[in-house]
Amino acid sequence: MPNLDDVPDPVAEVNGTEISKDEFASLVESQYQQMSMQAQMSGQPVDEKQIRDQAIEGLVGTTLLEQEAGNRGLEVTDDEVDAELTEFAKTNQVSTDEFVAKMGEQGMDRQGVMEQIESQLLIEKLVTEEYGEFSATEEELRAAYDQVAQQQQQSMGGAQGGAPGGGAQQVPPFEQVRDQVAEQLKSEKQAKDMQTLFEELRGDADVKVHI
């Protein structure tokens, strides 16, 4: 794990709101675990500076977006958080308690999980209010599916030559994965919108980063 003894507390202030060393350390350690797994597969060393930079940028961005949502009077109810937790657990084919326990392996207790879900839902509401509900045309869904199918066939390659029916990795039919494709496109659109809004807000914000 990275040594964070030199990190000050707070690590940053966003319009007067402090971001604590604990928040920063938790995110760095979680990302470090993920990057270490990727590094083992790729053989590339873990870039600790990149992890730190991404962590502080992510925390500043989240804080700015949460503040903007609060300024607009947007709120998330406990029922909405519970419903989202249930959906996450269902997607991972585990119970809600098992899902929370799984997150605990990344150093997050139940309260932390619920707070993260609340933050995510709040920011989604903000993005929707700013840019409108997401909708994709049938053509966009088809194009995204075709791109994934093409990449999958290329990765199969070799003796199979990407031919249809060439193995267990074959992409399922479009109708079978249409909803997943739509969710993926929605996630990508939200990420871009969040970045755009974050950059707009940061231009007018009082942000002090101490690391």
Side-chain angles (χ1 to χ4, degrees), residues 2-66:
N3 185 345
L4 301 176
D5 291 345
D6 63 328
V7 174
D9 191 15
V11 292
E13 294 162 62
V14 181
N15 293 324
T17 299
E18 294 184 346
I19 297 175
S20 72
K21 178 179 179 177
D22 285 347
E23 287 178 90
F24 176 74
S26 176
L27 186 55
V28 166
E29 286 167 9
S30 174
Q31 290 184 353
Y32 186 86
Q33 284 181 358
Q34 292 173 20
M35 294 289 280
S36 294
M37 288 168 61
Q38 291 174 15
Q40 285 174 1
M41 290 187 285
S42 67
Q44 297 294 319
V46 177
D47 187 338
E48 284 194 29
K49 183 180 185 306
Q50 182 187 17
I51 292 174
R52 284 188 179 214
D53 291 347
Q54 287 177 343
I56 197 67
E57 191 76 359
L59 288 167
V60 169
T62 297
T63 304
L64 275 173
L65 292 167
E66 286 177 345

Side-chain angles (χ1 to χ4, degrees), residues 121-154:
L121 290 175
L122 188 62
I123 291 172
E124 283 179 7
K125 284 189 177 187
L126 173 64
V127 168
T128 299
E129 181 177 276
E130 183 70 15
Y131 299 105
E133 287 284 353
F134 169 82
S135 63
T137 64
E138 199 68 15
E139 288 78 13
E140 287 172 326
L141 292 173
R142 280 276 181 189
Y145 170 80
D146 289 343
Q147 186 178 13
V148 171
Q150 190 176 13
Q151 288 171 348
Q152 189 68 60
Q153 286 181 345
Q154 286 172 350

Side-chain angles (χ1 to χ4, degrees), residues 56-101:
I56 197 67
E57 191 76 359
L59 288 167
V60 169
T62 297
T63 304
L64 275 173
L65 292 167
E66 286 177 345
Q67 287 176 345
E68 179 64 15
N71 292 340
R72 297 188 188 193
L74 299 175
E75 294 179 345
V76 173
T77 67
D78 290 343
D79 286 345
E80 287 174 317
V81 174
D82 288 339
E84 189 73 0
L85 174 60
T86 301
E87 192 60 35
F88 278 138
K90 184 179 172 185
T91 301
N92 286 273
Q93 298 180 320
V94 294
S95 70
T96 53
D97 287 342
E98 286 170 331
F99 179 79
V100 171

